[in-house]
Amino acid sequence: MYYRCTACQQTWYYPIDRCVFCHQPVTRVTPEKFTIRALTEVQIPSREHQKVPYTVLLLEDEHGQTHTRKTFQSYRVGETIEDTTAAASQRTVIATKIRYSLDEAADRLFRLMGPLSIENKSKIAILSSCTDSDPALLVLLVDHLLKNGAQTDNITIGERFADDKAITKAKKILAGHPLLSELELVNFSDEAHETIPFRRSLFDIPKRLIGSDLLITLTPLALQTAKENALISSHLAGVFPGQRGSNLQKIAELPFDNPILPKLLCLIDARVAAISDDQDNDRTQRTQLLFLGRDFKAMDKCMCKLFDVPEHTLLANSQYQLAGEEFDVIQSPV
């Protein structure tokens, strides 16, 4: 993606609102087809590029603009690369790295995911405490939903808040952003529940979720090196009343299509990865990564593999496919 002046046709690779030469508006250009004009194989590691060999491609898009891209795959000069919708499989995990701005990266992530099939009356629940996630990412998510047909009155943000203090803090965060201040904040601890049997388990589900057409989880990346990890699975299990451990077991046994959870979209904010050891010492890594997918177990499996932490035994049979504009580069983000 780059930005082009509507008048003088000057271009920029970083976000800009108006042309610095003629002060006219600029438009986003999203190329989808690239031709490899040259390539260089790098054999010597450097800072942030420890894994070698890799190749740097010089690309020309369908508009004649040139780009560079790092890759671990083998290509030849003259070959064509296409960036199209990546989420062909329910197990696909889309990854993207922030280059210049969160806005630009989020736009690329949603574009690669493909259409969400949202209607005016679609009920959407966003699972986020608002306090442990960046409000800017939440704003971009809501803005994307509205641009795709959702209505403000049909979007709620919720979590099982521990106490009134947490709710007050969340309300303050939402009130600080005009777009978020219009949304309803829900405490799932106070919501009425309905018991639904599925297979051999009983699920106490907040009625608000039963009536939702889409459930979006917004989860910051926090993993542990000394314990089994199931990031989004645990996040979902926390919505249901009762013991989180037993809920996790039941959630993990759900097939992709099930009558318990609405259609899912899982967004992981991994810009700063928090990884703690057995002494609860946190190690943070700035990866500048965002991940998006539809299958929460595939997402959990992917995070454990990429960040080299133990996965929960419940994820043993889960599979994932990593995709995105730079999916072959994101082999070992930390």
Side-chain angles (χ1 to χ4, degrees), residues 66-332:
T66 56
H67 312 257
T68 58
R69 181 177 299 183
K70 174 184 174 182
T71 180
F72 289 108
Q73 294 188 359
S74 297
Y75 291 102
R76 291 179 297 179
V77 173
E79 282 191 79
T80 299
I81 301 175
E82 293 191 21
D83 284 339
T84 56
T85 299
S89 165
Q90 67 186 42
R91 297 187 179 92
T92 300
V93 177
I94 301 175
T96 194
K97 196 162 190 173
I98 299 172
R99 300 167 185 166
Y100 300 107
S101 72
L102 180 62
D103 185 6
E104 177 257 353
D107 183 84
R108 183 167 61 251
L109 197 68
F110 293 130
R111 174 174 57 83
L112 290 171
M113 170 57 70
L116 295 177
S117 301
I118 296 174
E119 300 178 356
N120 287 342
K121 296 182 179 180
S122 295
K123 300 289 186 180
I124 302 172
I126 300 175
L127 184 58
S128 171
S129 69
C130 306
T131 58
D132 58 3
S133 302
D134 183 357
L137 185 56
L138 191 55
V139 169
L140 292 173
L141 172 60
V142 173
D143 182 62
H144 179 74
L145 294 173
L146 296 177
K147 288 179 179 177
N148 280 268
Q151 300 297 313
T152 304
D153 294 342
N154 294 329
I155 303 176
T156 60
I157 299 177
E159 185 68 271
R160 286 184 66 85
F161 293 101
D163 49 40
D164 291 340
K165 185 177 180 180
I167 298 175
T168 301
K169 186 176 181 180
K171 288 181 178 179
K172 185 176 180 180
I173 292 173
L174 296 184
H177 299 268
L179 190 62
L180 302 181
S181 63
E182 302 178 24
L183 306 181
E184 180 185 2
L185 181 66
V186 176
N187 182 6
F188 287 117
S189 297
D190 297 334
E191 287 285 300
H193 293 75
E194 182 175 326
T195 301
I196 298 179
F198 181 68
R199 294 182 175 175
R200 298 181 180 180
S201 299
L202 294 176
F203 291 84
D204 291 324
I205 309 173
K207 288 187 176 181
R208 186 72 64 116
L209 290 187
I210 296 176
S212 297
D213 300 296
L214 176 64
L215 173 61
I216 303 175
T217 61
L218 175 53
T219 312
L221 188 70
L223 302 169
Q224 297 178 310
T225 59
K227 296 180 181 179
E228 294 181 337
N229 293 269
L231 184 65
I232 302 177
S233 302
S234 297
H235 195 181
L236 287 169
V239 177
F240 299 88
Q243 296 294 322
R244 183 183 291 264
S246 60
N247 285 338
L248 178 60
Q249 175 77 36
K250 293 190 292 185
I251 289 290
E253 292 175 352
L254 289 174
F256 181 77
D257 292 312
N258 64 81
I260 304 302
L261 295 172
K263 183 171 63 175
L264 272 172
L265 186 65
C266 306
L267 175 58
I268 294 179
D269 183 358
R271 287 173 293 169
V272 178
I275 303 176
S276 58
D277 58 21
D278 56 349
Q279 303 297 323
D280 289 330
N281 296 315
D282 288 338
R283 171 171 58 90
T284 58
Q285 295 285 340
R286 289 192 172 275
T287 69
Q288 293 299 93
L289 294 172
L290 298 174
F291 296 92
L292 188 66
R294 301 181 188 274
D295 187 326
F296 65 93
K297 287 182 283 188
M299 295 281 285
D300 283 345
K301 183 94 170 186
C302 180
M303 295 305 103
C304 292
K305 293 296 184 183
L306 284 180
F307 291 90
D308 194 25
V309 296
E311 67 180 51
H312 201 287
T313 53
L314 298 172
L315 302 175
N317 297 323
S318 300
Q319 297 179 336
Y320 71 92
Q321 177 184 1
L322 193 60
E325 288 183 340
E326 299 170 334
F327 72 94
D328 60 326
V329 177
I330 306 170
Q331 300 287 334
S332 182

Side-chain angles (χ1 to χ4, degrees), residues 6-23:
T6 56
C8 68
Q9 303 301 307
Q10 292 285 345
T11 57
W12 293 265
Y13 286 99
Y14 51 87
I16 189 172
D17 294 324
R18 287 187 173 274
C19 177
V20 299
F21 298 102
C22 65
H23 307 293

Side-chain angles (χ1 to χ4, degrees), residues 17-34:
D17 294 324
R18 287 187 173 274
C19 177
V20 299
F21 298 102
C22 65
H23 307 293
Q24 295 301 308
V26 299
T27 58
R28 288 185 182 181
V29 180
T30 305
E32 295 183 352
K33 184 178 293 186
F34 304 85

